[in-house]
Amino acid sequence: MSAICGAVSLNGKKIGAKECSILKSAFSDCVIDRWEEIKEDDIYMGCGIQYFTKEAVSEQLPIKAQEFFFDADVILDNRKALLKRLHFEEQDAVTDGRLLYLMLQKYGESCQNDLLGAYAAVWYDRRKKEVTVLADAVGYRYVYYLIRDDVFYYSSLMRPLEELCGELKINDRWVADYIGQDNLNAFTEAEETPVLGIYRTAPAGCLKITQKDIKKRCYWQPYQKKKKTVYKSDKEYKKHFLDLYRECTACLLRSPGETAVLLSGGYDSTSVACLAAKELEKCGKKLYSFTSVPFHGYEPDLGKGYITDETELVQKTADVVENLECTFMNMPEMNCWYDRKKYMRISEIPYKSPQNMLWIYEGMRQAYEKNARIMLGGMFGNGTVSFDNAMVYLAWLFRRGRWITLYREVCGINKKLHFTKKSVLQTAVKDSFHKKVKKADREALFGKSFVRRDYLKKNGSDKRLLRLDKKIQKCSYSHKAYQQAFLTADTLRHYGEYMQKNSLFTGVIMRDPTRDKRMIEFVTSLPYGQFTHNGVRRRLIAEYMKDIVPAHILKEKGMGRQSADLKQRLLPFSSQIEEEWKENYKKFSGSTCIDCKKALTGLEEKGIKDMTDFEIVRHIFTNILLEYLEAKKSYNVDRRVD
């Protein structure tokens, strides 16, 4: 994997030394093991190589071959299959960058759907004056790009492109959608950024760029027409799933040193840890886990049903998985308000989950100190390996008159979850007749947000977000729509956008076998009954992995809650923080996108002590946006002065 950047002149214009310096210097604070570059009159390509795999030590990127230029940020997970296809015998001698180049050279774009891994690549054919840009299917890696005066600029970081694009103009459509969603969702599409003119590659995206135009293509979609996976017996489903999950995990264990995992007490990360630890044990290695836990002295206030400190669950897992070495991060100094500017330097764009961003980044940083260059996780598991379709499945059975199966499932849920048969059946019947969604309710959607309604309307975001809300409502009553909701391009972007930045600044890459393209394709092809059977929910793990995942994890009924100490971390500084928020709302009272008067009134009526966690988070991400917009405005002023 690498940090990549470059400039390609599509009209033969010379690329200046200053432009090259701007592109390269943006990565000065990143953890780069080696920097390589190509510079000719009309082209510059730079590659800051990070040694995430043993082969990366020998990586030679960018590549020039006659009139072809190639730059890539790449880890390929199906190396063996690709090397075999190219008839290579000495597999270790071929780096991932070289392998990707050879595949594209021989097969062109037709091989894109055969590539598994995390990558973004730029290919320039000087003869045709054509740039091709592509990104992996599930959104691990991407490049930002800018076209100005017939020069195509690209970068793994957004910062150098901002410096190269002249005056910064805010993309109001992006901002309106971002702040108009009164939740933790940051994106409604996969390519735009907060700055007009700067874009990024979408998951499974391929771009063709010439002087005349830009052509975009999506080469993979999870729900392309395909047959359902149908086996003769449940044992065959189980075997296929377990074999695939092991394969998806094993191919990620290529760190030249140690391997780490972000571990909670939940199904997904625990299942990943168990599979990875078993593989690492074969070569005498440990798996190093990192778990976010509350600071010492934290007093739970969420009531029953929530597990706010997963130390005991994770420690019990370590007692079973002997080569698992645990680190519990209570991070006493972490404060999601005071640390915002530090993380904004890394994220480059506004973010909405301040409490989680910090501990994930800290886990990756500490993993690097353990000599682990690859960190595993199971963040996407709810959409694949632990997908829960119980209630939509019951409604589906009722609509199709599958009475015997429906009764069996109702009895199973009654036995395992202790809901009455009547209540379960009533819910299934009720959901079966919900073919119409509720009428759009602007007040319910935007009423608590601090966004200006006229700003939403001006940018079309009110209608766009209402349509999104309608789509989400439909997901509650349709199995296919419910599952598809996890697999949109903007969702995949959400999982990759900030992780790429974390990777660049920590020297550790986050990989998730639950997000593997093969796993997504397999899960979306399964019959509905494979996820819920005889009252067993999240069955792929709960039943198929009961000999792999420790019993205490499978038996646990509570819901894990990371960053449950958010409020209590802020309370000792609440007066000062509230005052800073008030000062910001007064300072930015003329904001066209934020109703600062409304935010200020709410803050006068209720302080941090009486707020819910999300009310606190709403103030934080609103202030982060205000400060971001002000910084861009000041940036333009400073440049005019210079």
Side-chain angles (χ1 to χ4, degrees):
M1 299 298 288
S2 319
I4 62 174
C5 62
V8 177
S9 176
L10 299 172
N11 62 8
K13 172 187 172 184
K14 185 175 181 178
I15 305 295
K18 183 178 180 181
E19 293 169 283
C20 301
S21 176
I22 288 172
L23 287 163
K24 181 179 178 179
S25 63
F27 297 89
S28 59
D29 293 332
C30 296
V31 180
I32 304 296
D33 295 294
R34 174 166 49 91
W35 192 271
E36 303 288 345
E37 53 195 330
I38 290 174
K39 175 69 177 76
E40 298 194 3
D41 283 350
D42 61 341
I43 188 167
Y44 169 75
M45 285 186 169
C47 186
I49 299 169
Q50 297 177 294
Y51 295 161
F52 295 140
T53 67
K54 63 181 181 179
E55 294 85 6
V57 177
S58 305
E59 190 70 82
Q60 292 297 317
L61 287 168
I63 293 172
K64 179 188 175 183
Q66 297 179 336
E67 295 299 290
F68 297 100
F69 298 82
F70 179 74
D71 202 1
D73 166 13
V74 53
I75 291 181
L76 292 174
D77 297 336
N78 57 335
R79 277 175 54 85
K80 291 182 180 179
L82 298 176
L83 287 165
K84 184 178 181 180
R85 189 169 167 180
L86 292 170
H87 307 292
F88 278 96
E89 293 183 1
E90 295 185 19
Q91 297 186 358
D92 291 345
V94 183
T95 63
D96 286 10
R98 187 75 185 175
L99 179 54
L100 179 58
Y101 170 77
L102 292 173
M103 284 294 297
L104 291 170
Q105 183 185 53
K106 184 172 183 177
Y107 298 105
E109 295 174 40
S110 65
C111 74
Q112 285 175 275
N113 210 33
D114 302 325
L115 303 171
L116 300 174
Y119 59 86
V122 177
W123 176 291
Y124 178 51
D125 184 339
R126 184 186 262 163
R127 298 169 308 171
K128 296 181 179 178
K129 299 270 186 218
E130 180 182 78
V131 178
T132 301
V133 188
L134 55 103
D136 69 79
V138 297
Y140 272 112
R141 308 299 273 195
Y142 56 90
V143 291
Y144 294 108
Y145 65 93
L146 163 72
I147 300 174
R148 188 182 184 205
D149 298 330
D150 285 333
V151 178
F152 170 77
Y153 300 98
Y154 67 92
S155 172
S156 301
L157 287 177
M158 191 171 168
R159 190 171 298 116
L161 303 189
E162 291 181 340
E163 195 167 344
L164 290 165
C165 76
E167 183 177 4
L168 297 183
K169 295 182 180 179
I170 293 299
N171 180 355
D172 286 310
R173 195 218 63 79
W174 189 96
V175 173
D177 278 17
Y178 174 87
I179 198 65
Q181 296 180 92
D182 195 35
N183 50 46
L184 297 182
N185 293 329
F187 311 108
T188 58
E189 50 73 57
E191 297 179 83
E192 294 188 22
T193 74
V195 177
L196 280 175
I198 298 179
Y199 299 89
R200 50 149 285 166
T201 47
C206 179
L207 306 174
K208 288 281 189 181
I209 300 164
T210 64
Q211 273 187 285
K212 293 182 179 180
D213 59 14
I214 300 177
K215 294 179 180 178
K216 299 179 182 181
R217 183 172 65 87
C218 179
Y219 63 83
W220 176 76
Q221 292 179 323
Y223 279 92
Q224 287 172 330
K225 292 182 180 179
K226 58 185 176 183
K227 295 181 180 179
K228 288 287 183 183
T229 296
V230 180
Y231 291 126
K232 294 180 181 179
S233 70
D234 193 58
K235 287 183 179 180
E236 290 183 85
Y237 283 108
K238 177 180 178 178
K239 184 180 185 304
H240 190 146
F241 169 69
L242 292 179
D243 288 348
L244 178 59
Y245 203 0
R246 288 190 180 101
E247 183 181 356
C248 292
T249 303
C251 70
L252 304 182
L253 306 179
R254 294 172 55 202
S255 174
E258 307 297 339
T259 303
V261 62
L262 273 184
L263 184 59
S264 70
Y267 277 19
D268 302 321
S269 63
T270 304
S271 64
V272 170
C274 290
L275 293 175
K278 191 70 174 178
E279 287 294 317
L280 292 169
E281 187 180 30
K282 295 176 184 177
C283 51
K285 284 191 170 186
K286 292 182 178 180
L287 176 64
Y288 293 86
S289 72
F290 295 85
T291 304
S292 171
V293 297
F295 65 89
H296 294 308
Y298 165 71
E299 297 179 3
D301 59 355
L302 296 177
K304 295 181 179 180
Y306 287 101
I307 303 169
T308 57
D309 185 345
E310 297 178 291
T311 301
E312 184 179 351
L313 286 172
V314 171
Q315 190 58 62
K316 283 183 178 180
T317 298
D319 293 339
V320 177
V321 182
E322 295 181 355
N323 63 324
L324 182 65
E325 184 173 305
C326 303
T327 296
F328 297 99
M329 305 181 297
N330 64 8
M331 299 165 286
E333 302 302 320
M334 187 182 80
N335 182 299
C336 62
W337 172 247
Y338 292 128
D339 292 339
R340 72 194 186 283
K341 292 184 179 180
K342 179 178 69 175
Y343 193 72
M344 269 299 296
R345 182 181 64 84
I346 295 163
S347 70
E348 297 190 297
I349 64 173
Y351 59 96
K352 278 191 169 183
S353 185
Q355 66 275 42
N356 291 334
M357 292 295 188
L358 296 175
W359 67 257
I360 291 174
Y361 181 84
E362 180 62 17
M364 295 173 74
R365 191 193 67 78
Q366 290 191 29
Y368 184 84
E369 293 179 351
K370 294 277 190 180
N371 193 33
R373 302 302 298 269
I374 291 175
M375 174 170 265
L376 305 176
M379 290 78 74
F380 204 73
N382 284 346
T384 53
V385 298
S386 67
F387 180 66
D388 181 6
N389 73 335
M391 298 317 296
V392 289
Y393 178 50
L394 296 184
W396 181 83
L397 290 172
F398 182 85
R399 284 196 297 268
R400 281 154 183 77
R402 305 276 292 274
W403 312 121
I404 296 175
T405 305
L406 175 61
Y407 182 72
R408 181 196 69 201
E409 295 301 337
V410 169
C411 291
I413 290 175
N414 165 252
K415 182 178 179 180
K416 295 181 181 300
L417 301 179
H418 308 297
F419 293 117
T420 66
K421 295 177 185 178
K422 182 179 179 180
S423 66
V424 175
L425 187 58
Q426 283 179 334
T427 301
V429 173
K430 180 181 177 182
D431 289 349
S432 299
F433 291 102
H434 272 265
K435 295 182 179 180
K436 294 184 178 180
V437 299
K438 297 178 182 178
K439 187 178 180 181
D441 187 344
R442 284 174 167 78
E443 190 59 33
L445 205 57
F446 309 123
K448 295 181 180 179
S449 169
F450 300 141
V451 67
R452 288 189 180 276
R453 301 286 186 89
D454 58 341
Y455 184 73
L456 289 179
K457 186 175 181 179
K458 179 181 178 181
N459 291 286
S461 293
D462 56 344
K463 293 182 179 179
R464 194 158 42 247
L465 296 179
L466 284 166
R467 286 196 299 270
L468 179 60
D469 180 62
K470 185 176 181 179
K471 180 180 177 181
I472 292 171
Q473 285 189 57
K474 285 183 178 180
C475 292
S476 302
Y477 312 117
S478 164
H479 180 283
K480 186 175 181 179
Y482 185 54
Q483 198 168 39
Q484 280 182 322
F486 288 97
L487 301 172
T488 58
D490 53 291
T491 299
L492 291 169
R493 174 184 183 177
H494 177 84
Y495 279 86
E497 183 91 23
Y498 302 102
M499 288 303 105
Q500 174 165 299
K501 309 294 179 62
N502 286 356
S503 174
L504 293 172
F505 282 90
T506 63
V508 175
I509 185 169
M510 179 72 70
R511 300 301 309 276
D512 182 358
T514 72
R515 188 170 145 207
D516 190 289
K517 178 172 177 280
R518 293 165 293 186
M519 183 61 76
I520 292 173
E521 289 177 336
F522 172 68
V523 168
T524 55
S525 72
L526 289 177
Y528 300 162
Q530 291 307 122
F531 303 102
T532 301
H533 186 68
N534 286 333
V536 179
R537 304 171 70 171
R538 305 170 74 186
R539 184 171 174 245
L540 297 185
I541 290 181
E543 193 166 290
Y544 289 172
M545 299 190 75
K546 61 184 178 182
D547 295 328
I548 298 171
V549 175
H552 68 276
I553 298 295
L554 299 181
K555 290 178 180 178
E556 179 55 56
K557 303 301 181 184
M559 182 180 295
R561 177 75 175 271
Q562 272 103 26
S563 301
D565 56 354
L566 165 72
K567 181 192 289 191
Q568 292 190 26
R569 284 181 182 270
L570 300 183
L571 279 176
F573 316 98
S574 58
S575 297
Q576 183 179 340
I577 293 172
E578 289 167 18
E579 192 57 39
E580 290 181 22
W581 290 350
K582 290 176 183 178
E583 289 176 5
N584 266 357
Y585 292 138
K586 291 174 183 176
K587 177 181 178 181
F588 302 121
S589 59
S591 169
T592 58
C593 62
I594 301 298
D595 187 343
C596 291
K597 183 178 179 181
K598 178 180 178 181
L600 192 58
T601 300
L603 192 55
E604 295 286 358
E605 295 174 350
K606 186 189 291 187
I608 289 175
K609 181 180 178 181
D610 300 315
M611 292 182 187
T612 64
D613 279 8
F614 185 73
E615 286 172 334
I616 294 171
V617 169
R618 182 190 290 124
H619 278 289
I620 293 175
F621 70 63
T622 300
N623 276 276
I624 285 174
L625 178 64
L626 286 168
E627 292 175 343
Y628 171 83
L629 296 175
E630 176 65 15
K632 297 309 171 191
K633 181 179 178 181
S634 299
Y635 182 76
N636 284 332
V637 172
D638 292 342
R639 292 177 71 176
R640 284 196 291 269
V641 170
D642 292 341

